Amino acid sequence: MTNNCNVLVTGANGFIGQHLIKKLKSLDVNVSVLVRDRNKLGFDDVNIFEGDIFNNEILRYAVERADIVFHLVSKTHDFSCSHNSIDDYFKINVEGTRNLLNACIGSNVKHFVYFSSVKAMAEDSKDVLDESFPPNPTTVYGKSKLAAEKIVAEYGERHGFKTTALRLPLVYGPGNKGNIYRMIKAIDRGLFIIIGNGENRRSMVYVENVVDAALAVVDRQEATNEVYIVTDGMDYTVKDLYETIVKELRRKPMPFCMPMNLAKIVSWLGDVAGNFVKKPLPFNSNLLNKLTASYVLSSGKIQKNLGFSPRYNLYNKIDETINWYLEN
C-alpha cells in the first residue's frame, strides 16, 4: 500500500472494521469510512460518509477518490432467521455489494477487497477444505456470500479493477461478542460442558490476522480476482479451546463431559420446544452441531502465493480477548 493512498472501509462500525481502521490509521494513508451512524464509529479523525450501501449519492462521494475499497458490510450468520430476514441476506450481501460495485465503475478504485466467509463453501466437513473445493453452501447466509463473491469477480473483470475475496472462518478477538465470547462467558459462569470427547477440530482466525491478510493482498498482482481462505494456520479442538480459556480465567474445569447420546436427546427436546414457542431455545440441534462438528480449512494458498504468515493464534492472544470480556 503506497503512501497517501486513499482507502474506503464500509461497515466500519463492525468488529473487523474497527481493527482494520486502527491499523490503517497507523499507516500513511487517507482513511474514509461508510457508516450508518457516525456516533457509533469511535474514530473522529477519518473522513466519514454517513449512509448505507443503497444511498447512491453517498456512495458516489465515498468512492470518488478511493484507490482501495475494503467492503465489510454484511448481514451476518443467524440460525434464527425468519422468512422476512432471509430476503435481507440477499438484499444486503448481494444487491448491496452490487450497488457499491456500480458506484465504483468509472471511479478511481483500483482494488476491491471483499470480506467473505467459509460458509460460502460448506457448513462443516470431515475433510480439510481449501479453495479448490467446489462450493456447496447449505444456508441462505452461505449462498448469499458465494453469490456476492461471484459478482465482485465479474465486476472486476468487466470494469478493469482488481478484486480479492477473503473467506474467513470464526473470527475472534477483543471487541467481538460472538461464539468465543459466549463460550468464555459460559465457562466463567460454570455453564459450559464438553460434549463427547471434545476432539472435533475447528479452524479460526484472530482478528489481527484478518487485518494483516487484507493489507497483504493490496498492490499484489497475484491477488487479482483471487479467493483466499485466512486462518490462524493451525486448528483447535473444542478441548483445546476449553482448557485454554479455563486456564486463563483461573477456573476449575468441569470434572465430567456430556455423553453424545444424551446431548442428542436434549437437543431434540430443544428443537421440539423451540417449534412450539416459535423461537430457538438455548440448546438445540444447530448448537449441538456447531459444538461437535469439525470444520478444518487450509490457508496454504495465501501463504504460498503471497508469502503471508499469520502472526497470532489462540495461545498467544486469548488473554487479550478474555481481558476485554472481563472489562466489559
Side-chain angles (χ1 to χ4, degrees):
M1 187 177 294
T2 58
N3 291 344
N4 298 317
C5 177
N6 295 305
V7 177
L8 172 67
V9 180
T10 73
N13 280 336
F15 166 53
I16 297 174
Q18 292 282 298
H19 285 266
L20 178 59
I21 292 169
K22 183 178 179 180
K23 180 66 174 182
L24 289 170
K25 279 166 47 63
S26 71
L27 306 174
D28 189 18
V29 297
N30 302 310
V31 182
S32 297
V33 299
L34 176 70
V35 293
R36 287 185 296 175
D37 186 352
R38 67 173 59 224
N39 296 320
K40 296 181 180 180
L41 182 59
F43 296 100
D44 55 9
D45 52 351
V46 296
N47 302 313
I48 302 173
F49 295 93
E50 191 169 20
D52 62 32
I53 50 176
F54 296 101
N55 188 322
N56 293 327
E57 183 178 4
I58 292 295
L59 288 186
R60 284 195 297 271
Y61 286 123
V63 304
E64 187 175 23
R65 295 179 60 234
D67 300 299
I68 301 163
V69 174
F70 293 107
H71 182 39
L72 282 154
V73 170
S74 178
K75 179 172 176 59
T76 55
H77 203 25
D78 180 9
F79 283 114
S80 63
C81 65
S82 66
H83 289 294
N84 290 330
S85 65
I86 285 175
D87 293 336
D88 289 342
Y89 282 104
F90 281 88
K91 178 182 178 182
I92 296 170
N93 296 347
V94 180
E95 296 309 317
T97 298
R98 191 197 305 274
N99 208 46
L100 177 60
L101 288 162
N102 281 328
C104 292
I105 298 173
S107 70
N108 195 50
V109 173
K110 299 177 180 65
H111 199 159
F112 190 102
V113 181
Y114 178 63
F115 290 74
S116 187
S117 167
V118 297
K119 301 296 186 181
M121 301 166 65
E123 281 298 307
D124 53 61
S125 176
K126 295 180 180 179
D127 301 316
V128 179
L129 304 186
D130 62 18
E131 293 85 352
S132 66
F133 175 79
N136 185 31
T138 57
T139 64
V140 65
Y141 170 72
K143 291 175 182 178
S144 69
K145 297 300 279 187
L146 181 62
E149 281 185 16
K150 293 179 178 178
I151 289 171
V152 169
E154 289 169 2
Y155 268 73
E157 288 184 337
R158 190 184 310 156
H159 300 287
F161 51 85
K162 290 190 289 187
T163 64
T164 309
L166 302 178
R167 286 181 181 164
L168 308 178
L170 186 154
V171 184
Y172 67 98
N176 184 10
K177 290 192 175 182
N179 290 337
I180 295 300
Y181 177 90
R182 288 192 287 270
M183 184 175 181
I184 292 170
K185 186 176 180 180
I187 291 172
D188 190 33
R189 297 182 176 185
L191 299 176
F192 188 91
I193 302 174
I194 291 179
I195 298 171
N197 59 18
E199 294 297 328
N200 53 302
R201 306 188 72 84
R202 308 288 294 193
S203 294
M204 305 193 308
V205 62
Y206 184 66
V207 63
E208 294 298 333
N209 287 333
V210 175
V211 171
D212 288 347
L215 298 182
V217 305
V218 173
D219 296 329
R220 297 293 297 274
Q221 192 62 36
E222 303 94 323
T224 303
N225 200 12
E226 288 286 357
V227 175
Y228 293 116
I229 296 170
V230 185
T231 74
D232 282 348
M234 62 175 67
D235 308 307
Y236 311 100
T237 66
V238 172
K239 187 177 180 181
D240 291 334
L241 283 168
Y242 179 76
E243 291 177 348
T244 302
I245 294 170
V246 164
K247 181 179 179 181
E248 193 65 33
L249 285 172
R250 299 181 181 179
R251 296 286 186 264
K252 290 184 178 181
M254 283 281 189
F256 57 87
C257 300
M258 179 183 289
M260 182 61 76
N261 288 337
L262 175 60
K264 289 180 178 179
I265 294 171
V266 175
S267 68
W268 177 79
L269 291 173
D271 291 340
V272 172
N275 289 333
F276 180 76
V277 299
K278 297 183 179 180
K279 67 178 182 179
L281 294 191
F283 193 79
N284 53 40
S285 58
N286 278 326
L287 180 58
L288 177 62
N289 186 63
K290 289 174 70 174
L291 292 173
T292 59
S294 289
Y295 197 10
V296 181
L297 304 133
S298 169
S299 57
K301 180 179 174 181
I302 191 171
Q303 296 181 48
K304 180 179 179 181
N305 287 12
L306 304 181
F308 171 76
S309 180
R311 295 185 291 164
Y312 310 107
N313 57 61
L314 178 74
Y315 306 112
N316 62 27
K317 282 296 179 179
I318 192 62
D319 58 330
E320 292 187 1
T321 303
I322 289 179
N323 287 339
W324 179 83
Y325 157 77
L326 293 172
E327 291 170 0
N328 288 273

